[in-house]
Amino acid sequence: MATREVRNKLDELRQYRKDRSRHDRDAREHCSSVRKKRRMNPDFVEKWDAAALKELDDSAIQEKIDHEARIRDGIVRLLAACHEEVQALETAKNLLTINARILALMGLLQRHRAKSVMMRKGSSSSSPFDLDDDASPCKGILSLSDIRVPLMWTQEDHNKTKAEQHLYYVFCLLKLDGQVLDTALMETDESETDIPFDNIIVFENVSHDFKLDIEIYYTVSSENAASRASGVKRPLHRTPSGHEVPKFILAGHTQLTVDHLHQRIKSHDLKTGLVGASPLATTVSTEDSNMPRLALWGQICCRLAARPACVEQVRMDGFLEIQRMTCSQSSWCRLWCVLRHATVKCWHCKEDSNHRDPVECIEIKPKMDITDTVSPTFHHRHILILTSQTPEKEPVLACNSDEEYVRWRDALQQAILDVTAWKVACKQDMTIVYPSVHKLPPVETKTLYDSIQVTLSSTVEPWKTVDKRAPLAELKSIPADSPSIECTYDIWQRRVPENRSFRKGKKKGVDENALNYETTI
């Protein structure tokens, strides 16, 4: 009886382990499929959430700081292991970025703690938009692309030979609401007139009062343009303390806000030096490093576009009584109205909104005011009047019920708040440029056996035919693009047992070397 119970318990334990292993295998397969989708599917393109760090508490921010510190320690060890200058430059750029990210997180943590202390003391924020969370402007998507930095070299610099020209390595550092990103490291010299960056950065959940700091860093290589053209990789310069670590210098900086939004590429003023730079900027000057100065034009060109949520979402829809002018007389007309994109568009019926142009458009303007009137003397008891500082006629709307009146009043107030905060972004239909997904090239499915071109040996007589043999099974399993494979075999080789002399039964007229080939893989 006891033996049967022990046997049953062992069976249950085996079944539990089998189910557990199957569950772990399914979970691994699911994770790998998700990772593959994120690489290939445009819907999984990684974007940066500008409001993600603001929503974290103090402990979560501290965990991110510790995580970034561990990454910095790994970058420092990797920098010590670099032997080529290009490797050291890329690693030094990542080290500067990670240091700026840690400083930004520490500043965010300090602001969170100060805010919590102020809340405990009962103080409130001074911003008018922070008084009521329900009355705050909507958030949007911010896209930065087409970055280009013009250069202004002297005539003497342009006339330099390749052996006299310096090599400059330049990149941009982007800072927004605690997020710190960097662009690719670009190489330039005195013969080029601008530095283009192909990076496209998209921020989500961006508030209207964002401040995007762009900082331009550069360093000068120890080699010249002539050695770059020759393709020779220069080793790092050694000092008694070890390898010489590249130092990046702040060449220029600017700050972009909602006033710089536009559908097209625009140029913005660039401040040079450390005057007016962000407190988190690296303060290495050209005097300390004895490097030549990067000749900036004083402008930076980029496309900064935003798309607020009010542009895509329908804030309110329903039937309203609109006061219209017909034959110099005002009359009321019942229309189907849709509030979207800072405009109230009106149709005669709901079905016309899908395929016909609106019969009336009421534009929501910044700093517009709503005057509501509820009086039994009017035929329509709930009246909304949109007043503005322009001399145009004030739109007058009327609702039939108390519920519709409250909903339309709140929706119109929110639309006025969004237009006032986002300005031109609510008027222009800006296109958000997303990073393109680079698909991997198609993998060749031919095996190593199928991809080999076989040429007959010149020692074999053409009239002699040798029976074909089936390819070896181990050769069919090797992919065609397998690296470091060298093949010197012949498909028509004849194999002879080791205990038998190959010279026995040699055919006349056939060279021995034509039949005795070696196979090395």
Side-chain angles (χ1 to χ4, degrees), residues 136-141 205-208 258 261 306-317 338-345 364-366 410-430 432:
S136 60
C138 65
K139 296 185 178 181
I141 303 175
N205 294 328
V206 180
S207 58
H208 69 283
V258 69
L261 296 175
R307 195 172 184 85
C310 61
V311 174
E312 300 180 352
Q313 299 176 0
V314 176
R315 291 297 186 181
M316 188 65 186
D317 58 356
V338 176
L339 175 58
R340 179 180 175 271
H341 205 168
T343 306
V344 180
K345 297 182 180 181
I364 305 297
K365 299 178 181 180
D410 296 342
L412 290 172
Q413 289 177 350
Q414 182 66 39
I416 295 173
L417 193 61
D418 295 338
V419 173
T420 305
W422 284 101
K423 300 180 180 179
V424 70
C426 288
K427 299 299 179 182
Q428 295 182 2
D429 192 6
M430 298 185 182
I432 301 297

Side-chain angles (χ1 to χ4, degrees), residues 262-279:
H262 203 275
Q263 171 65 17
R264 298 181 180 179
I265 300 174
K266 293 292 181 179
S267 61
H268 310 283
D269 293 334
L270 196 65
K271 299 179 181 178
T272 58
L274 301 176
V275 179
S278 172

Side-chain angles (χ1 to χ4, degrees), residues 157 159-167 189-190 221-229:
D157 294 333
N159 295 333
K160 288 182 179 179
T161 61
K162 286 291 183 181
E164 297 175 345
Q165 291 178 354
H166 298 90
L167 279 182
D189 53 28
E190 286 88 345
S221 174
S222 57
E223 59 181 357
N224 51 34
S227 59
R228 177 191 64 173

